[in-house]
Amino acid sequence: MNSSLDLKKLLAAAIGTNSKADWTGLREIQETFHHRYYRNEKPENEDTSRTHGVMVEVRVNGHYAYSCTPNLTDAGVRAAAERAREQALRSEKFKVFAFSPKTRPTSQGKWKTKIQTPLNAHSPSQWSDALIRACESLKASDKVVQTVAYARTDETFTRIVDSNGTDVTQEHFRVASHFEATASHGGVVQSRSDHGMMARTRQGGLETLFTSDLYDRLQQVGADSVELLEAEDCPSGVFDVIIMPDQMYLQIHESVGHPLEYDRILGDERNYAGNSFVQPHDFGKLQYGSPLMNITFNPELDGEYSSYAFDDIGNPAKKEYIIKDGILIRGLGGLESQERIGLPGVACSRAENWDRAPIDRMANLNLEVGTSSLDEMVRSIDNGVLMKSNRSWSIDDFRNKFQFGCEYAKKIENGKITKTLKNPNYRGISTQFWRSLKMLGDESTFDVYGSPYCGKGEPNQVIRVGHSSPACLFEKLEVFGGGH
Amino acid sequence: MKPTLLVDRKYFFELGGSLFAGLRGDERLTLNLVEETTQFIRINGAKVRQIGCVENAHLAFDYRLKKGDALVKCGYSVTLTGERTTDSETLKAAFNQLRTQATELPIDPFSTEIENFGQSENVFCGELLPFSDAAERLPSLMNSLPITGIYSAGTSVRANMNSLGQKHWFETDHFSFDYSLFTPENRMAKGYYSGSKWDDGVFRSNLESTHSQFSQLTKPVQSIEPGKYRTYLSPMAVAELLHMFSWGFLSEGALRREESSLRLVRQGKKSLSPLVTLKENFKRGLVPSFNHLGELAPEEIKLFERGELENTLVSRRTAKEYGVTSNAASGSEAPRSLEMEGGSLKEADVLSSLGTGLYLSNLHYLNWSDQKAGRITGMTRYACFWVKDSKIVGPIENLRFDDSVFGIFGTELEALTSEAVLIPATGTYSNRDLGGVINPGALLSTKNFTL
């Protein structure tokens, strides 16, 4: 994937001969999505979506303004630059902060996702054959009334150039999928999916989707959906709970990632996504979780959904500890937020596309592995529950009180996994919850997930996030079942 | 001066015409345009955090190839530039790819033949702040109030045409300012100002009205234990609950696939209160009445009439799959112009009718906690108060609720306020939303708070 655009020529057009801006930058994005959705072995959607455009950004007296256009001629980009400059000049006296030139670093470099099998390696008929086979695999019995097989591939070309000599190119290739079986019998309806809605997300080629165990895994998903029909409802009460990585990923996202975003702490998100219980003085002091808890911002992990070498303002990205031995040490903020809040952050100024401005985003945020095997965790529990695969989520605007629901659970009694439970849920308060982390799974329990759909920002943006985690044992959680 | 669109009506129909001219007899093509030219001003603490303009035009192809009596369907969308040579090449490449792809795809048994559903044109011209003026004028009008939010203004277009001669064009100038006012303790009150004609005086009054809630917000904070309480939900809170109806609840397809708890109503196992009358109302003209296939929805679609299920939302695809009749719903079968009728409770009588309980102005982060059973969880947000003996005692700490939709809009619904108000759609995922929902406030005999 390459752009035919001469972006440096367009930059020259944007700057012009009489620019009133102190700095001018261009961010070009060319992105292609393929969506393939099959239900009950029948095609429902076969869609391709392409977008190509540029954001012109200027800084005037420490104040940024932007203008976005798909008109990639000299005249189109020049007009966009003029609009950006005019807005910067007219609103400059009302700016929230006077940003320094350091907020747009000078960077050069290229980066590309490692892939084995290109995303376009399959013909349309190979795709339909594969997704029909996926539906067939999910159809475990006549009680399965619906099967869904959905695959989304996307490729993104990004190039950033600016008036200081920045020239950064990145190419991302990604695959996300959702496979689900719904079973129904006697008025009971249960769905089970391949690790939760769109949680199986990867950077890479088709090798990340068509793994050797794919169809076996889907047969198990179908069988699980039928098994849930006969399962008892999850009991209500206080239990020790083992949470598997396909639920942990969203727990990390909602109760660690979002509250640590500097733009929430600074109030930018107060009118939409919300605020944070974390305050600037908490960094370096707050006991966020038990000493087992180590959270890293890690854009360097091959294959995770939001790995990159530079964020969307060209800031080089590297792994950083966010929470170390349970203590909060660093927040999630890009260079603009770091200047405003006066704390170190990470390279996480990210934008959904060419028509949205970069804001603080969590990218890959991971819980580092511990030393316990799953068997050791189970054996340590007298009366508990093991939960898998997210199906419901909600948290308050300060990121304290959460509630999650899962697709599938097992009862643990006297150190052994016993019966299957349906409709498992738990609720808690973020720091109390993380301080109750009692055992942390080892490498054998570790897995990588993510989401294409993290929503935030005004104007609104969805962005891709990646989260990896081992299985975790939490003490004394409030657990409950489903129903009316 | 009104900003220029990349793709105006004439250009759109010309582009479509040139594509249709090259179609073979077994090919059908529908085009949908979503376009906007928008200024966004993001405000934090009455200061400008981010400011910018976006011009964007997405054209989506819906291509159908006849194979005997059946159809193969696939889609492609591209960004238009407004430059004729570039756009023509882009469209030609996309179309050729669709043609090639379609030869390899299996039959889609629930795809329907396109039809010519006629022509329509609606252009709503407004009086918006010029982009250059807004950058200065908006912050100066805030008069240093503790305000955070997003101003969006400009022109939005939705257009549709097909190879059988159908043509629809909907263009509207509109603005919205979606904001919060906050106290030093970060307690907040929510407000909206939206429309098609900007008025400084109305904007100031709107801010002052929201600001007037501060006298209650600065009272001592009340910590309320989880439990069941009598509860009043303001229109904004009810709108959040109605928004959940977009996630499959009113969809005939979701009902047939046993995803929607509405199946329990159809089976006679659950019901809504006789106070609930709910409809799609396209008479307001805030959104286009044509859908992605160009079908024109009836001016009104009764969904619930005094608690009785009258209609679900049925797309053409669902109609074919299940042998029912389409009512021109969107592909997702989500409501587009939802309206809930008001009741008899006067606004002035809300506190006396509530007596002792919770007054909730807003809800936040709602989700189905058990979608198939119709259970919703979510949080209180903004100006929410503990009320004792019909008097506001003070704002509450955030509470989580987890409750059945059949309780909230059924057994627990005691009264609806007499005035149904417009809560504008201010979302901007991919593009600016249009329209909004009209609904009253609701008094519940009890509501379940869990955390």
Side-chain angles (χ1 to χ4, degrees):
Chain A
M1 182 176 42
N2 262 312
S3 170
S4 56
L5 215 55
D6 186 344
L7 202 61
K8 288 193 172 174
K9 179 168 165 279
L10 290 180
L11 176 66
I15 294 169
T17 53
N18 187 27
S19 175
K20 296 181 179 70
D22 303 321
W23 171 90
T24 302
L26 263 59
R27 180 167 49 85
E28 175 198 4
I29 301 238
Q30 185 173 347
E31 189 163 69
T32 304
F33 288 94
H34 293 278
H35 303 272
R36 300 172 176 94
Y37 186 99
Y38 281 65
R39 183 163 61 81
N40 296 337
E41 302 159 37
K42 308 284 192 306
E44 192 149 310
N45 262 316
E46 284 273 358
D47 280 308
T48 303
S49 168
R50 282 182 191 273
T51 182
H52 191 190
V54 67
M55 168 173 277
V56 182
E57 203 180 14
V58 301
R59 187 179 62 244
V60 175
N61 295 332
H63 182 52
Y64 287 103
Y66 61 86
S67 183
C68 311
T69 183
N71 183 336
L72 302 173
T73 62
D74 283 7
V77 171
R78 190 180 301 119
E82 282 167 7
R83 283 194 294 271
R85 278 194 293 270
E86 183 181 30
Q87 290 184 103
L89 287 163
R90 298 288 291 262
S91 62
E92 183 263 322
K93 62 186 171 187
F94 298 105
K95 62 180 175 266
V96 79
F97 190 84
F99 292 108
S100 80
K102 290 178 187 170
T103 51
R104 289 296 181 274
T106 302
S107 303
Q108 285 93 31
K110 292 188 176 184
W111 187 88
K112 189 174 181 179
T113 303
K114 292 174 187 166
I115 55 172
Q116 294 171 25
T117 309
L119 297 181
N120 60 2
H122 278 194
S123 67
S125 60
Q126 284 175 306
W127 270 107
S128 56
D129 289 348
L131 295 177
I132 289 169
R133 185 180 167 195
C135 287
E136 290 168 348
S137 302
L138 290 160
K139 181 89 178 166
S141 83
D142 289 345
K143 290 177 183 167
V144 174
V145 294
Q146 176 171 273
T147 56
V148 167
Y150 169 59
R152 168 183 132 159
T153 59
D154 57 80
E155 43 199 279
T156 311
F157 172 89
T158 306
R159 188 172 176 201
I160 303 168
V161 298
D162 75 9
S163 52
N164 288 341
T166 286
D167 192 348
V168 166
T169 301
Q170 298 192 96
E171 292 178 74
H172 290 88
F173 299 85
R174 309 178 190 88
V175 180
S177 60
H178 181 67
F179 299 103
E180 183 177 292
T182 299
S184 175
H185 185 67
V188 180
V189 185
Q190 285 287 314
S191 294
R192 182 82 174 101
S193 68
D194 186 25
H195 297 284
M197 191 188 77
M198 295 293 282
R200 279 193 62 87
T201 53
R202 291 284 190 283
Q203 273 195 61
L206 295 185
E207 73 281 356
T208 64
L209 175 62
F210 296 111
T211 54
S212 58
D213 67 340
L214 172 65
Y215 298 108
D216 290 342
R217 221 170 56 227
L218 300 186
Q219 284 179 4
Q220 186 60 49
V221 167
D224 283 358
S225 71
V226 176
E227 182 193 11
L228 285 167
L229 294 175
E230 304 295 329
E232 286 180 21
D233 210 62
C234 183
S236 296
V238 174
F239 295 97
D240 289 351
V241 180
I242 295 174
I243 304 178
M244 299 304 285
D246 57 3
Q247 163 58 27
M248 280 304 304
Y249 89 96
L250 203 57
Q251 180 75 56
I252 295 164
H253 179 89
E254 302 288 9
S255 67
V256 181
H258 281 308
L260 300 186
E261 290 163 344
Y262 283 160
D263 58 351
R264 292 181 73 114
I265 297 168
L266 289 162
D268 293 349
E269 287 285 331
R270 276 180 291 194
N271 183 58
Y272 181 62
N275 219 304
S276 175
F277 68 86
V278 174
Q279 294 299 304
H281 58 74
D282 289 328
F283 290 92
K285 296 175 193 161
L286 179 67
Q287 182 80 46
Y288 206 99
S290 86
L292 293 172
M293 183 188 189
N294 285 287
I295 295 278
T296 56
F297 171 85
N298 189 357
E300 300 173 22
L301 197 63
D302 280 346
E304 196 165 3
Y305 207 39
S306 293
S307 294
Y308 51 79
F310 302 90
D311 69 6
D312 288 330
I313 57 170
N315 192 22
K318 62 176 184 176
K319 179 177 177 178
E320 297 281 2
Y321 271 84
I322 303 301
I323 294 172
K324 181 83 173 151
D325 302 328
I327 303 291
L328 176 62
I329 57 172
R330 185 184 289 259
L332 301 172
L335 292 176
E336 289 179 33
S337 291
Q338 289 173 40
E339 272 202 351
R340 287 166 73 197
I341 203 166
L343 289 166
V346 296
C348 69
S349 295
R350 303 176 63 205
E352 177 183 350
N353 215 315
W354 57 268
D355 60 352
R356 291 291 183 268
I359 56 175
D360 294 342
R361 289 301 209 153
M362 65 184 86
N364 293 339
L365 193 71
N366 302 336
L367 179 61
E368 300 292 307
V369 298
T371 57
S372 302
S373 69
L374 184 61
D375 188 50
E376 286 169 338
M377 286 192 260
V378 171
R379 275 193 276 119
S380 74
I381 297 173
D382 287 333
N383 184 20
V385 178
L386 179 150
M387 296 194 196
K388 291 181 181 179
S389 308
N390 178 269
R391 81 168 190 188
S392 174
W393 62 98
S394 173
I395 190 165
D396 73 72
D397 61 328
F398 281 77
R399 297 278 148 174
N400 273 313
K401 295 181 177 180
F402 62 77
Q403 176 171 316
F404 289 102
C406 291
E407 292 181 355
Y408 186 93
K410 289 283 191 183
K411 188 86 175 73
I412 301 171
E413 295 166 292
N414 301 317
K416 288 184 180 161
I417 288 176
T418 56
K419 56 198 168 196
T420 299
L421 302 171
K422 70 182 179 211
N423 302 325
N425 301 273
Y426 65 97
R427 57 172 81 98
I429 295 172
S430 293
T431 51
Q432 288 175 19
F433 169 84
W434 283 103
R435 288 171 194 161
S436 74
L437 175 62
K438 185 183 176 188
M439 295 176 83
L440 191 61
D442 61 18
E443 198 74 43
S444 70
T445 72
F446 170 86
D447 216 336
V448 180
Y449 294 97
S451 173
Y453 303 127
C454 175
K456 185 184 164 185
E458 289 180 313
N460 306 147
Q461 308 188 40
V462 289
I463 209 128
R464 304 169 184 91
V465 293
H467 304 296
S468 65
S469 175
C472 296
L473 167 57
F474 293 89
E475 274 188 303
K476 295 178 182 169
L477 295 191
E478 188 184 349
V479 169
F480 58 100
H484 306 299
Chain B
M1 192 178 72
K2 187 174 168 174
T4 310
L5 290 167
L6 288 167
V7 179
D8 63 17
R9 183 181 174 283
K10 181 168 177 284
Y11 184 48
F12 172 63
F13 291 136
E14 281 174 7
L15 286 175
S18 64
L19 280 167
F20 299 153
L23 288 179
R24 298 189 310 251
D26 57 351
E27 293 175 317
R28 309 283 185 269
L29 190 59
T30 304
L31 301 176
N32 279 287
L33 175 71
V34 175
E35 179 178 16
E36 69 179 37
T37 300
T38 300
Q39 181 181 40
F40 293 114
I41 306 178
R42 191 174 198 197
I43 301 292
N44 183 1
K47 302 285 187 187
V48 176
R49 171 63 188 95
Q50 285 174 315
I51 183 167
C53 298
V54 172
E55 54 180 358
N56 206 342
H58 280 292
L59 184 73
F61 293 64
D62 175 324
Y63 175 81
R64 298 179 189 209
L65 176 68
K66 274 188 80 84
K67 283 190 179 174
D69 291 336
L71 290 163
V72 169
K73 179 174 79 74
C74 47
Y76 206 108
S77 68
V78 295
T79 308
L80 294 177
T81 67
E83 295 288 316
R84 190 173 296 270
T85 307
T86 307
D87 288 341
S88 296
E89 286 171 5
T90 302
L91 296 182
K92 193 174 171 186
F95 183 68
N96 287 339
Q97 184 158 329
L98 279 173
R99 259 188 176 161
T100 307
Q101 187 183 355
T103 59
E104 285 198 46
L105 291 175
I107 297 293
D108 177 353
F110 307 122
S111 227
T112 54
E113 273 282 8
I114 66 166
E115 291 180 33
N116 182 347
F117 292 103
Q119 304 198 356
S120 69
E121 180 171 324
N122 287 288
V123 177
F124 299 99
C125 295
E127 292 177 35
L128 308 181
L129 292 176
F131 284 8
S132 53
D133 273 12
E136 275 185 297
R137 194 150 144 198
L138 192 71
S140 59
L141 284 167
M142 290 171 194
N143 200 22
S144 300
L145 276 171
I147 191 165
T148 294
I150 182 77
Y151 166 86
S152 314
T155 305
S156 295
V157 172
R158 304 286 187 272
N160 169 287
M161 66 187 302
N162 74 16
S163 50
L164 299 184
Q166 170 181 286
K167 288 181 180 178
H168 298 296
W169 182 267
F170 180 94
E171 177 182 333
T172 183
D173 300 339
H174 61 134
F175 69 86
S176 66
F177 187 50
D178 176 334
Y179 68 93
S180 306
L181 293 172
F182 53 93
T183 70
E185 297 77 30
N186 254 329
R187 303 211 162 269
M188 290 181 276
K190 178 84 183 169
Y192 299 97
Y193 175 44
S194 68
S196 57
K197 185 179 176 185
W198 180 271
D199 184 311
D200 287 356
V202 175
F203 178 52
R204 282 199 197 93
S205 300
N206 186 298
L207 293 180
E208 283 163 14
S209 170
T210 307
H211 196 226
S212 67
Q213 296 179 46
F214 272 30
S215 60
Q216 305 291 359
L217 281 172
T218 49
K219 288 180 173 175
V221 176
Q222 307 295 302
S223 185
I224 306 296
E225 290 296 311
K228 292 179 185 286
Y229 298 100
R230 280 179 70 75
T231 299
Y232 171 71
L233 300 165
S234 80
M236 280 195 269
V238 172
E240 287 288 338
L241 288 160
L242 292 176
H243 183 65
M244 291 303 296
F245 288 6
S246 297
W247 298 97
F249 185 70
L250 294 167
S251 153
E252 179 67 26
L255 191 155
R256 299 274 179 160
R257 296 190 293 271
E258 304 198 61
E259 294 162 357
S260 168
S261 58
L262 203 57
R263 76 188 191 287
L264 302 170
V265 175
R266 189 169 278 174
Q267 292 165 359
K269 294 176 180 171
K270 292 283 175 185
S271 61
L272 297 191
S273 161
L275 297 173
V276 174
T277 292
L278 197 64
K279 64 187 173 189
E280 281 272 78
N281 181 359
F282 291 98
K283 282 190 274 190
R284 286 182 274 146
L286 297 176
V287 298
S289 60
F290 58 86
N291 66 7
H292 59 296
L293 295 173
E295 285 178 286
L296 288 161
E299 285 193 331
E300 267 194 15
I301 303 170
K302 285 269 173 66
L303 300 166
F304 281 88
E305 176 77 16
R306 301 187 186 286
E308 295 292 325
L309 178 62
E310 295 275 321
N311 287 291
T312 54
L313 295 172
V314 188
S315 70
R316 205 162 169 75
R317 183 180 186 84
T318 291
K320 182 167 185 186
E321 182 170 358
Y322 299 106
V324 291
T325 304
S326 165
N327 53 20
S330 66
S332 67
E333 297 179 335
R336 289 176 281 163
S337 196
L338 198 61
E339 188 168 318
M340 185 180 196
E341 279 187 9
S344 57
L345 177 62
K346 292 189 172 59
E347 177 68 31
D349 296 335
V350 164
L351 288 179
S352 60
S353 299
L354 177 61
T356 295
L358 291 163
Y359 181 110
L360 306 182
S361 71
N362 292 81
L363 300 174
H364 175 64
Y365 215 135
L366 273 56
N367 203 342
W368 296 110
S369 55
D370 189 341
Q371 183 166 14
K372 294 174 176 72
R375 215 171 74 192
I376 299 173
T377 189
M379 293 297 305
T380 62
R381 192 181 190 187
Y382 292 109
C384 295
F385 302 101
W386 176 245
V387 176
K388 190 173 181 189
D389 299 331
S390 305
K391 291 193 173 61
I392 288 177
V393 181
I396 60 165
E397 299 283 3
N398 277 338
L399 281 172
R400 170 167 296 286
F401 70 91
D402 194 352
D403 236 338
S404 164
V405 70
F406 304 111
I408 298 167
F409 291 111
T411 50
E412 292 152 13
L413 181 59
E414 201 168 285
L416 294 171
T417 54
S418 52
E419 191 185 1
V421 299
L422 172 69
I423 310 298
T426 56
T428 47
Y429 285 109
S430 299
N431 44 261
R432 292 178 69 197
D433 289 343
L434 302 175
V437 56
I438 290 182
N439 60 266
L443 181 65
L444 308 184
S445 58
T446 182
K447 187 161 175 59
N448 189 33
F449 296 90
T450 55
L451 187 65

